[in-house]
Amino acid sequence: MKQISHFINGEFVAGREGRRFDKRSPLDNRVIASVSEAGRDEVNAAVAAARAALDGPWGRMTVTERTELLYAVANEINRRFDDFVAAEVADTGKPVSLASHLDIPRGAANFKIFADVVKNVPGEFFEMATPDGRGAINYALRRPVGVVGVVCPWNLPLLLMTWKVGPALACGNTVVVKPSEETPATATLLGEVMNKVGVPPGVYNVVHGFGPESAGEFLTRHPGVDGITFTGETRTGEAIMAAAAKGVRPVSFELGGKNAGIVFADADFDKAVAGITRSSFENCGQVCLGTERVYVQRPIFDRFAAALKASAEKLKIGAPNEPGVGLGPLISAEHRGKVLSYYDKARAEGATVVTGGGVPTIGGDAADGYWVQPTIWTGLPETSAVVREEVFGPCCHIAPFDTVEQAIALANDTEYGLATTVWTSNLSTAHRVAREIQVGLCWINSWFLRDLRTAFGGAKRSGIGREGGVHSLEFYTELRNVMVKL
Ligand code: NAD
């Protein structure tokens, strides 16, 4: 069976005897890998290696040398594209088409983009007058934060991890990554890439394990970690923030969401149906930016609900390499239990189940996979747990609205503030919603379409800080102001 080890100081390290956990395939519940679980010793070793690299070869490198290495990392990911796709698909069960169009290309691109950003970032320079007439100059240096702890989720494993590691390394930091226990493979494979292209040992380290009382907690509580970047659930963010309080260390958080889609009666109907189908069901609904609440203007409500039902029912559920497959399984038995508990709650609270609501019949070897049906409800009150809490599955609730004001109020009535998708052909309506909606990301007549140089992040309980382009530098560098008397 495949053994997955930590990657510490440029070496694959199995760690202590007996501390391992099983990774199961979402497709059939079979154990596919045995993964090392880091204790305090492994985390200490990884942080020490990261510190030594920071104080050593990596810290001494010029920006040009560093960015050349990051281009080489991107190229090597692309050269081993099929290996990365296979590893990501094995861990997640997602369609090969999705992993090869989204996860892995973006994983490579994240290194190139941030190499370009740091090469081109403008500096700050001021001349000031002094009483003696000779003046002074002030300029700012951007220095790395130091050793960065990177804690990742399982839904887009390589993509979201490199979205942090790319800018962290480009800015001259070193990292210790804690991938999700559900998706250990691609972070480990990236260790091979780092060695191959000559990234110095200790710059990129990976420790595997869980959250509390395991690698995640040991890493985030480690006094040698200078900053923590985290993507995951809001309540995990609370635990990590408490850990980071010791030593007053900075955090960057991308957290949960309960995103609204708003469809106006004047929208291009077919495009809106296709857009909401994608935003609600892509990656089996396991996308933080996904739409779980859909508000549709009353004149088209019934027609839209019927069209979305038809569109959802066309999605093919199945194995990653089946032609035309649109939906894989959920990530784990535990997560499926959570999603199905919301399916039960919806029924108990009196929802009309427009489609789905259960488990599809999949026979043969895949019978024990973590499958669920794409599901659409109507008729729930806005106070329902299904409408208020993040399910993170392939499901949405559709409710009608009458006016723009009402749509905005409904969409904003949540503790979260990650993303929204608005469908309208009226320019004023679109811009008005964009201004009044309380989110970090607002799509108009689109979804998941974003220039990676722009800011990404959540408002309210959906995050702290922004990532993307120069915005990532806010977290991954510290400004040092230099004042020179002339
Ligand atoms: P999670 O919070 O359960 O776990 C994320 C990571 O945190 C894992 O590596 C886990 O082991 C670790 N962890 C858990 N408890 C910890 C602790 N006490 N200390 C340190 N580390 C700990 O999230 P998940 O289930 O992996 O991912 C799904 C969640 O992520 C959803 O809420 C989703 O919305 C969110 N998400 C947000 C974004 C975004 O950009 N805003 C992107 C993807 C996913």
Side-chain angles (χ1 to χ4, degrees), residues 35 63 71 140 163 172 201 215 219 237 240 243 246 258 290 305 325 348 359 368 402:
V35 189
V63 172
Y71 290 134
W163 183 237
L219 178 63
I240 292 180
K246 181 94 180 141
K258 186 73 184 176
V325 75
V359 174
D368 292 334
D402 294 299

Side-chain angles (χ1 to χ4, degrees), residues 22-38:
D22 288 342
K23 162 64 197 163
R24 289 176 182 274
S25 166
L27 298 169
D28 55 17
N29 195 35
R30 267 193 295 225
V31 177
I32 52 170
S34 169
V35 189
S36 299
E37 184 188 351

Side-chain angles (χ1 to χ4, degrees), residues 31 68 135 237 344 384 389 400 406 426 474:
V31 177
E68 285 305 317
D344 291 344
S384 156
E389 296 167 14
Q406 211 186 357
N426 183 312
E474 292 287 318

Side-chain angles (χ1 to χ4, degrees), residues 151-155 160 178-181 209-212 216-217 220 230-233 236 239-240 254-257 288 390 392 418 456 462:
V151 182
C152 306
W154 44 258
N155 58 328
L160 290 173
K178 210 298 277 173
S180 167
E181 52 274 34
F210 303 86
E217 184 177 332
T220 51
F230 166 71
T231 298
E233 282 190 32
T236 310
I240 292 180
E254 304 293 354
L255 306 175
C288 55
E390 183 184 48
F392 221 53
L418 189 51
F456 177 94
S462 289

Side-chain angles (χ1 to χ4, degrees), residues 375-400:
T375 295
I376 301 170
W377 305 285
T378 56
L380 285 171
E382 290 294 306
T383 50
S384 156
V386 179
V387 179
R388 302 211 74 77
E389 296 167 14
E390 183 184 48
V391 180
F392 221 53
C395 56
C396 63
H397 178 255
I398 323 182

